[in-house]
Amino acid sequence: QVQLVESGGGSVQPGESLTLSCVVSGASSDFGGIGWFRQAPGKEREGVSCISKRDNYTNYADSVKGRFTISRDNGKNLFYLQMHNLTPEDTGVYYCAASSLPCFGSWLYLPRLDSWGQGTQVTVSS
């Protein structure tokens, strides 16, 4: 019964930055990891990054390494995805999701996540 709400999406030009937020509420004590996913029109959903609730272990997709940073506020169920040097290939609907499992190497490929947010649109274009 975890609820997730994303915000911070918008339209930017290539090379610019954007930060997304995910607020976790409800039975938030039951989750072990939070992750970000994205989906572009006509493409399958792609795992972007995840972070563990307890130890802040993180994992990133190769396509965003060095450009995106996932983080959280200490003592708060608030998570962020900082995106820098954005390109048109980063365009899509971004979702945050929760799992009872903490983030690990293959977390972004789990067959089922426990809870999903509604998504927020990110558009990168000239």
Side-chain angles (χ1 to χ4, degrees):
Q1 296 183 355
V2 174
Q3 289 91 248
L4 307 168
V5 179
E6 307 96 334
S7 62
S11 182
V12 298
Q13 297 184 75
E16 295 184 337
S17 300
L18 201 61
T19 298
L20 306 181
S21 300
C22 177
V23 179
V24 183
S25 61
S28 58
S29 62
D30 292 336
F31 74 86
I34 295 290
W36 289 93
F37 298 79
R38 65 187 182 186
Q39 187 167 23
K43 296 184 179 295
E44 295 185 355
R45 187 176 61 211
E46 175 189 20
V48 176
S49 182
C50 64
I51 185 170
S52 293
K53 180 181 180 180
R54 288 194 175 186
D55 60 11
N56 288 334
Y57 175 87
T58 59
N59 189 36
Y60 297 90
D62 289 341
S63 59
V64 306
K65 286 181 180 178
R67 299 189 299 118
F68 290 12
T69 301
I70 190 170
S71 62
R72 65 184 294 266
D73 277 349
N74 291 332
K76 298 181 179 180
N77 292 321
L78 182 60
F79 298 81
Y80 304 98
L81 183 67
Q82 296 175 296
M83 304 182 293
H84 299 289
N85 195 25
L86 288 163
T87 75
E89 294 182 341
D90 295 316
T91 294
V93 178
Y94 283 68
Y95 303 88
C96 61
S99 172
S100 61
L101 298 175
C103 181
F104 66 102
S106 299
W107 195 98
L108 297 174
Y109 305 97
L110 289 171
R112 187 173 74 96
L113 281 297
D114 296 328
S115 301
W116 292 88
Q118 83 290 345
T120 185
Q121 177 71 43
V122 173
T123 302
V124 185
S125 65
S126 300

